[in-house]
Amino acid sequence: ELEDGGRVKLSWSMLADPDMILSLDTEAEHGVKLTHCKPGELELELPDSHSHHAKRGTIVVGSRFVHGCKHLADGHLFHRVMALKRREELQHGEGHHAGSVSIAKKLSRFHLATEELASFA
């Protein structure tokens, strides 16, 4: 309720396919890792279970806690994948570790051409 007695009601909805969204925050525990970021480009390490996200149209999102992208300052990361530039299969031991537990999954490094977005919407 406003000071003058008026009432404001706000609602919104969004249609989104969850299979077209890759959250770096929630998927890190499954071996997903951002290894490089700059405007128009991302490099991700993905286990085979997540490799389907390396395709045109996927939205990659990440809070300021999971990326060190200097060009985003303290902002969140929002990128739309435009094209797969290159895929490299990593040799055993080349991947990364989640805490003290080694990720024992087959990993690939994906170099992606992206469009940086101002927000998720």
Side-chain angles (χ1 to χ4, degrees), residues 22 24 33-46 53-54 58-62 67 69 71-72 77-86 109-117:
L22 176 60
L24 300 174
K33 182 180 179 186
L34 174 68
T35 56
H36 183 75
C37 172
K38 63 183 184 180
E41 187 175 321
L42 291 178
E43 181 181 280
L44 300 172
E45 285 183 7
L46 301 175
H53 287 294
T58 295
I59 306 292
V60 180
V61 299
H67 74 81
C69 309
H71 69 282
L72 295 176
L77 177 143
F78 302 99
H79 280 249
R80 176 181 292 119
V81 176
M82 303 306 288
L84 171 60
K85 294 170 70 174
R86 187 169 69 253
R109 184 172 294 130
F110 293 87
H111 301 262
L112 306 168
T114 65
E115 173 188 15
E116 195 167 15
L117 306 172

Side-chain angles (χ1 to χ4, degrees), residues 86-119:
R86 187 169 69 253
R87 177 182 183 165
E88 302 168 35
E89 290 192 20
L90 299 176
Q91 298 297 318
H92 183 70
E94 275 188 277
H96 64 280
H97 298 268
S100 62
V101 179
S102 178
I103 303 298
K105 299 177 181 175
K106 185 177 174 188
L107 291 173
S108 294
R109 184 172 294 130
F110 293 87
H111 301 262
L112 306 168
T114 65
E115 173 188 15
E116 195 167 15
L117 306 172
S119 69

